[in-house]
Amino acid sequence: MSHLLFSSTQDDQMNGDCIFVAGSSKAVKYRLPKAVELYKQGRASKILFSGGVKWPENEYTEALQLKKEAISLGVSEKDILTEDLSLHTLENVLASLLVLDREFHLHNIRRLLVVTTSYHMRRLHLTLKTYMPDWISFTLCPVDDDNTNEDNWFLSETGVKRVKGETEKLIRYVKQGALEDEEVDIHLNTGAIT
C-alpha cells in the first residue's frame, strides 16, 4: 500500500502558474505552511484554496479559513483565489476549473503546484489528471501530517485506517473509470507488499 500511495509523489522543484491547495479539517495546520513557503520562494504568484466544508470548530469554510490564515502569514490578498463550494476531492478539482479560468484563462495555464497531505496526493493527482485539461502539468508538493506518512502510517490506527481508505478509493474509482489509471511500481519488500 505504501508504494501505491507514496511513490513518485515528490516535488520536482519546477515553478508554476498557481499553487493549488485542497482543503481539509487540518489544512491550516499541515497544508498551509507548505503553500506559503512555495509562494514566498516565488515558485508561483497565486494560491488557490479549494474547499467548501465548514468544520464544527471553524467559523469559515476550508478555503476562507485558509485565506484568512495565509494573509496573517504575509500572503498578499490579491494573490489569493478561493473556491468554497466543493465538498470532496473531485469537487475541489471541478469547482476550481471555473476559478482558474476566470483568473488565468485555462488555455494560459501550464503548471499547477499541488499541495495536500502525502497520503491524499495520489488520489488528488489522478483526479487532476483526469478532469483538468491535458496541457496542464502538475508539480506535486506533498506534506506529512503527524501520523500518516510513508514512514509511520502503519504505526497508528489512524494511519492504517487512512491508508486503507485511500487505497480502496483509488482502486474503486479507477475500476469505475472515474479516475485515469496510472502505472505504479508495486514490489515485494522483506516479504510484505509495500
Side-chain angles (χ1 to χ4, degrees):
M1 287 192 281
S2 282
H3 270 69
L4 180 60
L5 293 189
F6 300 108
S7 69
S8 304
T9 59
Q10 294 78 25
D11 186 346
D12 61 16
Q13 301 301 313
M14 296 185 75
N15 293 339
D17 301 293
C18 188
I19 300 161
F20 177 83
V21 184
S24 76
S25 62
K26 302 284 186 197
V28 168
K29 180 176 180 181
Y30 296 112
R31 301 173 190 187
L32 180 62
K34 173 58 86 174
V36 171
E37 174 188 325
L38 295 168
Y39 171 82
K40 288 184 175 181
Q41 289 172 349
R43 295 198 39 206
S45 60
K46 301 278 185 185
I47 302 176
L48 168 55
F49 295 119
S50 176
V53 176
K54 190 173 178 183
W55 296 96
E57 66 275 9
N58 290 327
E59 181 181 346
Y60 304 103
T61 60
E62 295 161 326
L64 295 180
Q65 186 71 33
L66 285 160
K67 176 181 179 176
K68 180 175 168 274
E69 297 297 328
I71 291 168
S72 76
L73 294 172
V75 177
S76 174
E77 187 171 4
K78 71 177 179 51
D79 293 335
I80 299 174
L81 311 172
T82 58
E83 173 288 300
D84 68 345
L85 299 174
S86 62
L87 301 179
H88 53 74
T89 301
L90 175 57
E91 289 184 0
N92 288 143
V93 173
L94 295 175
S96 292
L97 282 166
L98 181 58
V99 176
L100 289 167
D101 187 60
R102 285 180 176 168
E103 181 66 25
F104 298 100
H105 301 292
L106 283 176
H107 66 276
N108 291 323
I109 299 174
R110 294 293 165 248
R111 178 172 296 276
L112 296 176
L113 277 61
V114 182
V115 177
T116 191
T117 45
S118 55
Y119 70 89
H120 180 241
M121 184 60 81
R122 174 82 63 213
R123 181 159 56 100
L124 178 56
H125 182 219
L126 289 180
T127 305
L128 288 161
K129 284 176 62 175
T130 303
Y131 294 95
M132 287 263 176
D134 61 4
W135 62 84
I136 298 177
S137 298
F138 308 100
T139 288
L140 308 182
C141 305
V143 295
D144 288 333
D145 67 4
D146 292 335
N147 55 18
T148 316
N149 61 62
E150 188 171 16
D151 299 326
N152 72 3
W153 67 267
F154 45 87
L155 299 174
S156 72
E157 188 177 326
T158 299
V160 170
K161 183 178 176 183
R162 283 180 178 161
V163 167
K164 185 176 182 223
E166 278 298 313
T167 302
E168 289 170 353
K169 286 177 186 176
L170 275 173
I171 292 167
R172 182 171 69 246
Y173 296 158
V174 168
K175 282 183 177 179
Q176 289 173 349
L179 288 181
E180 182 178 306
D181 201 358
E182 182 175 77
E183 188 77 26
V184 177
D185 181 27
I186 299 177
H187 63 277
L188 295 178
N189 184 13
T190 63
I193 294 180
T194 59

